[in-house]
Amino acid sequence: MNTNNKIGGQDSTPRKKDVLPLILLSILLAGIVAVIAGAALAPQYRAVPALLWSLGFCVSGMLLGFLFGIPRTLPSGTVNVAPPETRASDGAPASSTGPGNSSNTMFLGTPTPMEINSNLVEVSDWLTKIIVGVGLIELKSLPATARSIAAFIAPSLGVDAPTGMAVVGGIMLFFSVHGFLIGYLLTRIYLSIIIKRADSIVKNASVRLESGKEIDVAELSRLQQKSLDDLQEAVTRLLVAPPPGGADAVSAMASLPAAVKPLNNLLWVDDHPSKNTLLVEQLERDNIKVDQAVASRQALAMLQKKAYDLMITDMARLENGSAVKDAGVHTVREARQLKPELPVIIYCNKDTAALYSTEAAAAGARFITTSGTSLLAAINKLLRTEP
């Protein structure tokens, strides 16, 4: 369940295939074909030496492009944090690191006990500065150096000197420049992604819950903050309108240790089960075994194989690759047809609850809520107090 309108916020558009490597490879193959054609046709130089020198210049250019394309990293201990308004729009509370906001704040990164190795970046920075400096100083002698290299390579092609130098000059220019572009572009794009993933693994610590599940600290903080918001809202309602006398029995049963409470089986349908990690953890502490499904078809199959005391479903989710905004209504209707006595709760965001609450109630949903605190209370009431 994603309480931030996952259907509207999630990018369900298929990712376009990255064609840049294919373009670079096509140009490289075109150059190789041209070299082979020159060996097979006029001026009919030796193919093997020409191909070896072509690949050699290409690899040299790729190495130079790799050195120039290595991304710079942030200093140790620095964490990129989204602006408060951006985080608030994603459903997470905007937080500050100032002294006035030292509690109940969300942190997107944790200090790491290890230093991320940046020697490659430092060596690249050092070498590129030297190469650029020396290149600018020796710029006047560059044509003479290139000519001497061509004169050195030309005899290996087995043709007359002027023709050999012309062919070598073309090979040097094409393959060195294209190799540089390959090394620079691929390093700049893909190595950046790899480094970010590695840094994320190192910097973002995970927490092991009592059930053995692991969750990132950032995700745990976000879920905890949402639980705090739900709890504050529930407490406010209690202060404004005290509950009826029947709430005493619910509170008394909720205070019992898990060993005393009977074991119940619960089925939770949500295509984003990680969003419910803390709630599932709380339920299992209360001796409620939670099985999770990500689609209606899977949930119905599980209902046929096992007896459940309660079922929870979200509202909007992906079904068979398509976004279905009222999927929860269909799930309730199908589950009630299969198991008429099974109570079903819908846990969703406020927008979908407002749109489909009437249809969900008509389909047979026992309770509709947007609050994790209210959800736990409703589960406790249905499983612990009702016969």
Side-chain angles (χ1 to χ4, degrees):
M1 191 240 13
N2 184 352
T3 57
N4 300 316
N5 198 358
K6 62 188 170 220
I7 297 299
Q10 180 178 344
D11 184 10
S12 59
T13 304
R15 183 179 177 181
K16 294 182 178 179
K17 186 176 181 180
D18 192 355
V19 297
L20 178 60
L22 297 178
I23 294 175
L24 295 175
L25 180 61
S26 300
I27 297 175
L28 178 61
L29 291 177
I32 293 176
V33 169
V35 172
I36 296 175
L41 305 174
Q44 294 185 340
Y45 46 77
R46 295 172 183 170
V48 174
L51 287 175
L52 290 177
W53 284 114
S54 300
L55 295 178
F57 282 114
C58 182
V59 172
S60 300
M62 290 174 62
L63 178 60
L64 187 61
F66 173 76
L67 292 176
F68 275 81
I70 293 177
R72 298 183 62 87
T73 57
L74 292 173
S76 175
T78 305
V79 179
N80 275 331
V81 180
E85 60 273 12
T86 303
R87 295 198 300 272
S89 65
D90 290 337
S95 59
S96 172
T97 56
N101 190 18
S102 59
S103 62
N104 293 342
T105 57
M106 186 187 77
F107 53 98
L108 298 181
T110 56
T112 173
M114 64 184 71
E115 182 80 13
I116 296 176
N117 193 326
S118 60
N119 291 339
L120 180 62
V121 178
E122 295 175 1
V123 170
S124 169
D125 189 38
W126 177 63
L127 288 177
T128 51
K129 289 179 180 178
I130 292 178
I131 292 173
V132 171
V134 173
L136 292 176
I137 294 174
E138 301 294 334
L139 188 60
K140 294 181 179 179
S141 61
L142 183 61
T145 303
R147 190 178 297 108
S148 62
I149 294 175
F152 174 78
I153 298 175
S156 64
L157 300 183
V159 292
D160 59 278
T163 303
M165 291 187 64
V167 172
V168 172
I171 289 176
M172 290 172 55
L173 183 61
F174 177 85
F175 285 97
S176 59
V177 172
H178 187 60
F180 177 85
L181 291 177
I182 292 176
Y184 179 82
L185 292 176
L186 296 186
T187 301
R188 184 68 183 86
I189 297 173
Y190 297 104
L191 186 61
S192 300
I193 298 174
I194 295 173
I195 290 177
K196 286 180 181 179
R197 289 177 179 173
D199 290 356
S200 176
I201 293 174
V202 173
K203 291 182 178 180
N204 292 333
S206 61
V207 176
R208 184 179 296 274
L209 303 177
E210 291 183 4
S211 62
K213 300 175 182 177
E214 289 191 358
I215 183 172
D216 290 342
V217 171
E219 180 68 10
L220 176 62
S221 177
R222 191 190 69 79
L223 295 177
Q224 285 178 332
Q225 185 61 49
K226 185 177 184 304
S227 299
L228 288 174
D229 294 340
D230 289 341
L231 184 59
Q232 290 172 356
E233 185 178 352
V235 170
T236 301
R237 291 202 199 100
L238 290 177
L239 293 175
V240 174
D248 295 336
V250 176
S251 300
M253 180 62 73
S255 63
L256 290 175
V260 178
K261 298 177 182 179
L263 175 65
N264 294 104
N265 294 315
L266 185 149
L267 177 60
W268 197 322
V269 189
D270 195 319
D271 57 342
H272 290 81
S274 61
K275 304 295 183 181
N276 310 313
T277 301
L278 295 185
L279 293 174
V280 171
E281 183 79 9
Q282 181 62 42
L283 291 173
E284 292 185 344
R285 287 181 185 176
D286 289 341
N287 212 25
I288 299 175
K289 178 66 173 64
V290 180
D291 294 334
Q292 300 188 60
V294 297
S296 297
R297 180 178 299 177
Q298 181 185 6
L300 295 176
M302 295 172 69
L303 284 176
Q304 292 176 340
K305 295 179 180 179
K306 184 177 179 179
Y308 289 96
D309 303 296
L310 180 65
M311 178 177 175
I312 302 174
T313 178
D314 59 348
M315 182 64 76
R317 63 171 173 266
L318 293 177
E319 292 283 358
N320 298 322
S322 301
V324 182
K325 294 184 178 180
D326 59 343
V329 176
H330 300 290
T331 301
V332 172
R333 185 178 296 113
E334 293 171 355
R336 296 283 293 174
Q337 290 175 356
L338 186 63
K339 301 282 185 178
E341 73 286 355
L342 179 67
V344 183
I345 297 176
I346 293 183
Y347 178 41
C348 60
N349 60 52
K350 295 181 179 179
D351 293 336
T352 53
L355 288 173
Y356 302 107
S357 59
T358 302
E359 296 181 25
R366 296 286 294 274
F367 188 68
I368 303 173
T369 181
T370 62
S371 166
T373 304
S374 300
L375 176 66
L376 294 176
I379 293 173
N380 184 76
K381 180 179 179 181
L382 291 172
L383 295 182
R384 307 303 190 191
T385 62
E386 292 189 359

